[in-house]
Amino acid sequence: LTIAGRAGEYPQAFWSSMIDDLPEDITPRLRRVFLNRLTRLPHQVVLELRHSLGSWLEKNLNSAIEFDNDLGWAVYDHIVDCIHNGGSGATKSGIGEISRRGEVIERSRRTFGHAINGPLGKCTTALFRAVPSKKQEPGSLIPMHIKSRIERLFAAPGEGSDHAVSIVMRQLKWLLSVDPSWTKDSLIP
């Protein structure tokens, strides 16, 4: 993949397989190489791999941050920025349309069910999992770097912002307990 990348080629099937199947017990050197490669993936490649990368972030953002805080957040920001800049088509959920007897049934795609299957919904879930455990007590406040990323997700095009809102609202009671001032100012109309 490194040699192909130097030639400007990023075979989606191979990248997707590596993202989905990378073992957790790899050496620190290989982990650093992998994370650095993710930060350098071209915009179009991230868009093609957005569902795999969203799932990877949801499962692995914490371990990436624990390994190297700055590099972990650089990976997160690169993936979210590429999806965000990809327009409304890039933020769609992985759930397709429902049809009955050949006719498409119109249903809202701005639901929690769609959110947990959308790339930005998964990125939002990853943020909540990245809140340090010592910051989860009542009144402890959510770190600013998490809040700013949540607010950026709210500005995503298309379904992406609705998916972020769905995931965040699912945590509303906890957010009111941990950071009531920000929650009331930023989340409650």
Side-chain angles (χ1 to χ4, degrees):
L1 291 177
T2 300
I3 294 168
R6 287 184 187 138
E9 298 174 14
Y10 298 87
Q12 182 180 356
F14 294 129
W15 271 99
S16 185
S17 178
M18 183 168 73
I19 291 165
D20 295 340
D21 301 326
L22 190 72
E24 290 185 25
D25 60 346
I26 59 175
T27 65
R29 181 180 179 279
L30 186 55
R31 181 176 306 279
R32 184 169 306 283
V33 167
F34 174 71
L35 293 173
N36 277 306
R37 294 281 191 270
L38 290 180
T39 63
R40 291 191 208 121
L41 283 176
H43 175 82
Q44 190 58 38
V45 176
V46 172
L47 290 178
E48 291 171 6
L49 297 169
R50 66 189 177 275
H51 290 284
S52 293
L53 289 167
S55 295
W56 183 85
L57 280 174
E58 187 177 31
K59 295 175 195 162
N60 297 293
L61 179 60
N62 276 350
S63 62
I65 292 168
E66 288 171 8
F67 175 72
D68 183 326
N69 187 63
D70 293 338
L71 185 55
W73 286 118
V75 170
Y76 180 88
D77 291 336
H78 177 66
I79 292 168
V80 170
D81 288 345
C82 288
I83 295 170
H84 198 282
N85 294 332
S88 60
T91 64
K92 284 190 174 182
S93 172
I95 296 178
E97 296 176 332
I98 299 172
S99 61
R100 185 175 292 147
R101 290 182 246 162
E103 287 187 41
V104 174
I105 299 172
E106 293 293 323
R107 292 200 170 177
S108 176
R109 297 184 55 83
R110 290 160 163 77
T111 64
F112 183 75
H114 281 83
I116 60 174
N117 290 290
L120 291 184
K122 292 178 181 188
C123 292
T124 307
T125 300
L127 277 179
F128 280 105
R129 291 181 179 170
V131 175
S133 58
K134 65 183 175 189
K135 293 283 185 186
Q136 294 184 10
E137 298 300 320
S140 60
L141 306 180
I142 305 242
M144 196 61 198
H145 67 279
I146 302 280
K147 291 190 263 193
S148 64
R149 287 177 172 95
I150 289 172
E151 291 169 0
R152 172 127 168 86
L153 290 166
F154 286 169
E159 296 176 12
S161 61
D162 296 313
H163 294 168
V165 168
S166 293
I167 299 294
V168 170
M169 288 301 116
R170 188 80 176 224
Q171 302 290 331
L172 187 60
K173 185 177 179 182
W174 174 76
L175 287 166
L176 280 167
S177 168
V178 172
D179 200 335
S181 180
W182 175 77
T183 302
K184 290 174 186 170
D185 292 344
S186 301
L187 305 180
I188 299 176

